[in-house]
Structure formats: structure tokens, C-alpha cells
Coordinates of all heavy atoms in Angstrom, one line a residue:
P1 N 161.8 130.5 211.9 CA 160.6 130.0 211.3 C 159.5 129.7 212.4 O 158.3 130.0 212.2 CB 161.0 128.7 210.7 CG 162.5 128.9 210.4 CD 163.0 129.7 211.5
L2 N 159.9 129.3 213.6 CA 159.0 129.1 214.7 C 158.4 130.4 215.1 O 157.1 130.5 215.3 CB 159.7 128.4 215.9 CG 158.8 128.2 217.1 CD1 157.6 127.2 216.8 CD2 159.6 127.6 218.3
G3 N 159.2 131.4 215.3 CA 158.7 132.7 215.7 C 157.7 133.3 214.7 O 156.7 133.8 215.1
K4 N 158.0 133.1 213.5 CA 157.1 133.6 212.4 C 155.8 132.9 212.4 O 154.7 133.5 212.3 CB 157.8 133.5 211.0 CG 157.0 134.1 209.9 CD 157.8 134.0 208.6 CE 157.0 134.6 207.4 NZ 157.8 134.5 206.2
K5 N 155.9 131.6 212.6 CA 154.7 130.7 212.6 C 153.8 131.1 213.8 O 152.5 131.2 213.6 CB 155.0 129.3 212.6 CG 153.8 128.3 212.5 CD 154.3 126.9 212.4 CE 153.0 126.0 212.3 NZ 153.5 124.5 212.2
M6 N 154.4 131.2 214.9 CA 153.6 131.6 216.1 C 153.0 133.0 216.0 O 151.8 133.2 216.5 CB 154.5 131.5 217.4 CG 155.0 130.1 217.8 SD 153.6 129.0 218.2 CE 153.4 128.0 216.7
D7 N 153.7 133.9 215.4 CA 153.2 135.2 215.2 C 152.0 135.2 214.3 O 151.0 135.9 214.5 CB 154.3 136.1 214.7 CG 153.8 137.6 214.5 OD1 153.4 138.1 215.5 OD2 153.9 138.1 213.4
E8 N 152.1 134.4 213.2 CA 151.0 134.3 212.3 C 149.7 133.7 213.0 O 148.6 134.2 212.7 CB 151.4 133.4 211.1 CG 152.4 134.1 210.2 CD 152.9 133.2 209.1 OE1 152.6 131.9 209.2 OE2 153.6 133.6 208.2
K9 N 149.9 132.7 213.8 CA 148.8 132.1 214.5 C 148.1 133.1 215.4 O 146.9 133.2 215.5 CB 149.3 130.9 215.3 CG 149.5 129.6 214.4 CD 149.9 128.5 215.3 CE 150.0 127.2 214.5 NZ 148.7 126.7 214.1
S10 N 149.0 133.9 216.2 CA 148.4 134.8 217.1 C 147.7 135.9 216.4 O 146.6 136.4 216.8 CB 149.5 135.4 218.0 OG 150.5 136.1 217.3
Q11 N 148.3 136.3 215.2 CA 147.6 137.4 214.4 C 146.3 137.0 213.8 O 145.4 137.8 213.7 CB 148.6 137.8 213.3 CG 149.8 138.6 213.7 CD 149.5 139.8 214.5 OE1 148.7 140.6 214.0 NE2 150.1 140.0 215.7
Q12 N 146.1 135.7 213.5 CA 144.9 135.2 213.0 C 143.8 135.4 214.0 O 142.6 135.7 213.7 CB 145.0 133.8 212.5 CG 145.8 133.6 211.3 CD 146.1 132.1 211.0 OE1 145.7 131.2 211.7 NE2 146.9 131.9 209.9
I13 N 144.1 135.0 215.3 CA 143.1 135.1 216.4 C 142.8 136.6 216.6 O 141.7 137.0 216.8 CB 143.7 134.5 217.6 CG1 143.9 133.0 217.4 CG2 142.8 134.7 218.8 CD1 144.6 132.3 218.6
W14 N 143.8 137.4 216.6 CA 143.7 138.9 216.9 C 142.8 139.5 215.8 O 141.9 140.3 216.2 CB 145.1 139.5 216.9 CG 145.1 141.0 217.0 CD1 145.0 141.8 218.1 CD2 145.3 141.9 215.9 NE1 145.1 143.1 217.8 CE2 145.3 143.2 216.4 CE3 145.4 141.8 214.5 CZ2 145.4 144.4 215.7 CZ3 145.6 142.9 213.7 CH2 145.5 144.2 214.3
E15 N 143.0 139.2 214.6 CA 142.3 139.8 213.5 C 140.8 139.6 213.6 O 140.0 140.4 213.1 CB 142.8 139.2 212.1 CG 142.4 140.0 210.9 CD 142.9 141.4 210.9 OE1 144.1 141.7 211.0 OE2 142.0 142.3 210.8
Q16 N 140.4 138.5 214.2 CA 139.0 138.2 214.3 C 138.3 139.2 215.3 O 137.0 139.3 215.2 CB 138.8 136.8 214.8 CG 139.3 135.7 213.9 CD 139.3 134.3 214.6 OE1 138.7 134.1 215.7 NE2 139.9 133.3 213.9
H17 N 139.0 139.9 216.1 CA 138.4 140.7 217.1 C 138.8 142.2 217.0 O 138.2 143.1 217.6 CB 138.8 140.3 218.5 CG 138.5 138.8 218.8 ND1 137.3 138.4 219.3 CD2 139.2 137.7 218.6 CE1 137.2 137.1 219.5 NE2 138.4 136.6 219.0
A18 N 139.8 142.5 216.1 CA 140.4 143.9 216.1 C 139.4 144.8 215.3 O 138.7 144.5 214.4 CB 141.7 143.8 215.3
K19 N 139.5 146.1 215.8 CA 138.7 147.2 215.2 C 139.6 148.4 214.9 O 140.6 148.6 215.6 CB 137.5 147.6 216.1 CG 136.5 146.5 216.2 CD 135.4 146.9 217.1 CE 134.3 145.8 217.3 NZ 133.2 146.3 218.2
D20 N 139.2 149.1 213.9 CA 140.0 150.3 213.5 C 139.5 151.6 214.3 O 138.3 151.7 214.5 CB 139.8 150.6 212.0 CG 140.4 149.5 211.1 OD1 141.5 149.1 211.5 OD2 139.8 149.1 210.1
Y21 N 140.4 152.4 214.7 CA 140.0 153.7 215.3 C 141.2 154.7 215.2 O 142.3 154.3 214.8 CB 139.6 153.5 216.7 CG 140.6 152.9 217.7 CD1 141.4 153.8 218.5 CD2 140.8 151.6 217.8 CE1 142.3 153.3 219.4 CE2 141.7 151.1 218.7 CZ 142.4 151.9 219.5 OH 143.4 151.4 220.4
E22 N 141.0 155.9 215.6 CA 142.0 156.9 215.5 C 142.2 157.5 216.9 O 141.3 157.6 217.7 CB 141.6 158.0 214.5 CG 141.6 157.5 213.1 CD 141.2 158.6 212.1 OE1 141.0 159.8 212.6 OE2 141.2 158.4 210.9
V23 N 143.5 158.0 217.2 CA 143.8 158.7 218.4 C 144.6 159.9 218.0 O 145.5 159.8 217.2 CB 144.6 157.8 219.3 CG1 144.8 158.5 220.7 CG2 144.0 156.4 219.6
T24 N 144.3 161.0 218.6 CA 145.0 162.3 218.3 C 145.7 162.7 219.6 O 145.4 162.3 220.7 CB 144.0 163.4 217.9 OG1 143.1 163.6 218.9 CG2 143.3 163.0 216.6
A25 N 146.8 163.5 219.4 CA 147.6 164.0 220.5 C 148.5 165.1 220.1 O 148.7 165.4 218.9 CB 148.4 162.9 221.1
K26 N 149.1 165.8 221.1 CA 150.1 166.9 220.8 C 151.4 166.3 220.2 O 152.1 166.9 219.5 CB 150.4 167.7 222.0 CG 149.2 168.4 222.6 CD 149.6 169.2 223.8 CE 148.4 170.0 224.4 NZ 147.4 169.1 225.1
G27 N 151.7 165.1 220.7 CA 152.9 164.4 220.2 C 152.8 162.9 220.1 O 152.0 162.3 220.8
V28 N 153.5 162.4 219.1 CA 153.5 160.9 218.9 C 155.0 160.5 219.0 O 155.8 161.0 218.2 CB 152.9 160.6 217.5 CG1 153.1 159.1 217.2 CG2 151.5 160.9 217.4
L29 N 155.2 159.5 219.9 CA 156.6 159.0 220.0 C 156.7 157.6 219.4 O 155.9 156.7 219.8 CB 156.9 158.9 221.5 CG 158.2 158.2 221.9 CD1 159.4 158.9 221.3 CD2 158.4 158.0 223.4
L30 N 157.6 157.4 218.5 CA 157.8 156.1 217.8 C 159.0 155.4 218.6 O 160.1 155.9 218.6 CB 158.3 156.3 216.4 CG 157.3 157.0 215.5 CD1 157.9 157.3 214.1 CD2 156.0 156.2 215.4
S31 N 158.6 154.4 219.4 CA 159.6 153.6 220.2 C 159.3 152.2 219.9 O 159.1 151.4 220.9 CB 159.4 154.0 221.7 OG 158.1 153.9 222.1
A32 N 159.3 151.8 218.7 CA 158.9 150.4 218.3 C 160.0 149.5 218.0 O 159.8 148.5 217.3 CB 157.9 150.5 217.1
G33 N 161.2 149.8 218.4 CA 162.4 148.9 218.3 C 163.1 149.1 216.9 O 162.8 150.0 216.1
G34 N 164.0 148.2 216.7 CA 164.8 148.2 215.5 C 164.2 147.4 214.3 O 163.0 147.2 214.3
F35 N 165.1 146.8 213.4 CA 164.5 146.1 212.3 C 165.3 144.8 212.0 O 165.4 144.4 210.8 CB 164.5 147.0 211.1 CG 165.8 147.6 210.6 CD1 166.6 147.0 209.6 CD2 166.3 148.8 211.2 CE1 167.8 147.6 209.2 CE2 167.5 149.3 210.8 CZ 168.2 148.8 209.8
I36 N 165.9 144.2 213.0 CA 166.7 143.0 212.8 C 165.9 141.9 212.2 O 166.4 140.9 211.6 CB 167.4 142.6 214.1 CG1 168.5 141.6 213.9 CG2 166.4 142.1 215.2 CD1 169.6 142.0 213.0
F37 N 164.5 141.9 212.4 CA 163.7 140.8 211.8 C 163.1 141.2 210.4 O 162.3 140.4 209.9 CB 162.6 140.5 212.8 CG 163.0 139.5 213.8 CD1 163.6 139.9 215.0 CD2 162.8 138.1 213.7 CE1 164.0 139.0 216.0 CE2 163.2 137.2 214.6 CZ 163.8 137.6 215.8
N38 N 163.6 142.3 209.9 CA 163.1 142.7 208.5 C 164.2 142.5 207.5 O 165.1 143.3 207.4 CB 162.7 144.1 208.5 CG 162.0 144.6 207.3 OD1 162.4 144.1 206.2 ND2 160.9 145.4 207.4
E39 N 164.2 141.3 206.9 CA 165.3 141.0 206.0 C 165.4 141.9 204.8 O 166.5 142.2 204.3 CB 165.1 139.5 205.5 CG 165.3 138.5 206.6 CD 165.2 137.1 206.1 OE1 165.0 136.9 204.9 OE2 165.2 136.2 207.0
E40 N 164.2 142.4 204.3 CA 164.3 143.3 203.2 C 165.0 144.6 203.5 O 165.8 145.2 202.8 CB 162.8 143.6 202.7 CG 162.2 142.5 202.0 CD 160.8 142.8 201.5 OE1 160.4 144.0 201.5 OE2 160.1 141.9 201.0
M41 N 164.7 145.2 204.7 CA 165.4 146.4 205.1 C 166.8 146.2 205.4 O 167.7 147.0 205.0 CB 164.7 146.9 206.4 CG 163.4 147.6 206.2 SD 162.6 148.3 207.7 CE 163.7 149.7 208.0
L42 N 167.2 145.0 205.9 CA 168.6 144.7 206.1 C 169.4 144.7 204.8 O 170.5 145.2 204.7 CB 168.7 143.3 206.9 CG 168.3 143.3 208.3 CD1 168.2 141.8 208.8 CD2 169.2 144.1 209.2
K43 N 168.8 144.1 203.8 CA 169.4 144.0 202.5 C 169.4 145.4 201.9 O 170.4 145.8 201.3 CB 168.6 143.1 201.6 CG 168.8 141.6 202.0 CD 167.9 140.7 201.0 CE 168.1 139.3 201.4 NZ 167.2 138.4 200.6
Q44 N 168.3 146.2 202.0 CA 168.2 147.5 201.4 C 169.4 148.4 201.9 O 169.9 149.2 201.1 CB 166.9 148.1 201.8 CG 166.7 149.6 201.2 CD 165.4 150.2 201.7 OE1 164.5 149.5 202.3 NE2 165.2 151.4 201.4

């Protein structure tokens, strides 16, 4: 719960400054970790 709350607080600050854009490339590597914090996927 603490981790989730701190993440939400940091996201609120981030959202105030974030902008959308696109990046293109010959290859895209997905190296974003696992899903141990996604309870829906764990159940699925």
C-alpha cells in the first residue's frame, strides 16, 4: 500500500509536466521487467 501510494503521488507531479511524442527505430526492445505487482495478471 505504501509503494502504491508513493507511486500515485509521484505520478500526479509527473502528469503536470508530461508531454506526448513518438519515436521511431529499426528495433524496439521490451525490457520492462515482470508482473509480480499486477494482481490481475497473476490471477489470470
Side-chain angles (χ1 to χ4, degrees):
L2 175 63
K4 185 177 181 181
K5 184 176 181 180
M6 292 296 101
D7 184 55
E8 288 172 352
K9 282 181 173 290
S10 64
Q11 289 303 309
Q12 288 170 4
I13 297 172
W14 173 83
E15 193 61 57
Q16 295 171 10
H17 304 272
K19 294 182 179 180
D20 295 317
Y21 61 97
E22 294 180 358
V23 185
T24 60
K26 298 181 180 71
V28 174
L29 172 64
L30 301 174
S31 53
F35 59 97
I36 192 64
F37 275 85
N38 189 321
E39 293 183 4
E40 290 184 6
M41 286 182 71
L42 290 169
K43 290 178 182 177
Q44 177 185 353

